[in-house]
Amino acid sequence: MTNMRNSFNIPANETVIMLYDDTIFGSNKVGFAICSGGLYWKNDWSVDTKRTFLNWEAFTQREIGLDGYHIVLGRGDTIGMAGVGDEQARQQILTMLREIKAILQ
C-alpha cells in the first residue's frame, strides 16, 4: 500500500477501494486505484497521459474506451494495461469502469 500511495500520489486520507497492479513483480508502482474520491493511476514510461487522477464528477463526463493495451479516458488521459494479459480481461476492466460511471450518473 505504501508503494501504491507514493507512486500514484494518493493522499493518506483517501480510502482505497480497489487496486490494480500492472507490474510484473507486484511492486504496486504502476496500475490504477479506485478510491473514495476518484480514480488514480500511474503508467510506466511507455504510456503518455496528461493527468493521473480524475475525481468522480470528472470521471462521469468522460467517454471510456479501450485502445489495445490502454484504457482511454479522453482529453489525453490514458491508463496502461499491458500487464492484464488478454483481451477478455481488459474488456472486463473496461466494463467495470463503465458500470461505475453509470452508477455515479
Side-chain angles (χ1 to χ4, degrees):
M1 291 296 276
T2 300
N3 283 348
M4 180 252 326
R5 283 191 182 275
N6 290 337
S7 291
F8 297 16
N9 296 315
I10 299 174
N13 65 339
E14 182 78 84
T15 301
V16 177
I17 299 165
M18 189 212 94
L19 167 66
Y20 164 72
D21 178 14
D22 199 47
T23 65
I24 295 172
F25 298 111
S27 69
N28 292 324
K29 292 183 177 181
V30 176
F32 71 88
I34 295 171
C35 298
S36 56
L39 185 65
Y40 292 80
W41 66 94
K42 171 74 172 161
N43 294 326
D44 67 17
W45 60 271
S46 68
V47 182
D48 289 332
T49 189
K50 286 193 173 187
R51 281 166 281 280
T52 58
F53 168 73
L54 283 176
N55 65 33
W56 292 124
E57 182 179 346
F59 178 79
T60 62
Q61 303 303 312
R62 301 297 184 92
E63 291 297 321
I64 306 165
L66 186 62
D67 182 15
Y69 294 103
H70 304 124
I71 298 289
V72 179
L73 301 170
R75 300 185 187 170
D77 297 330
T78 305
I79 301 172
M81 302 287 294
V84 170
D86 65 12
E87 180 70 20
Q88 182 178 5
R90 283 187 289 280
Q91 285 292 335
Q92 289 174 336
I93 291 171
L94 178 65
T95 298
M96 176 189 67
L97 292 174
R98 285 179 173 166
E99 287 175 358
I100 290 170
K101 178 182 171 180
I103 289 168
L104 292 170
Q105 291 178 318

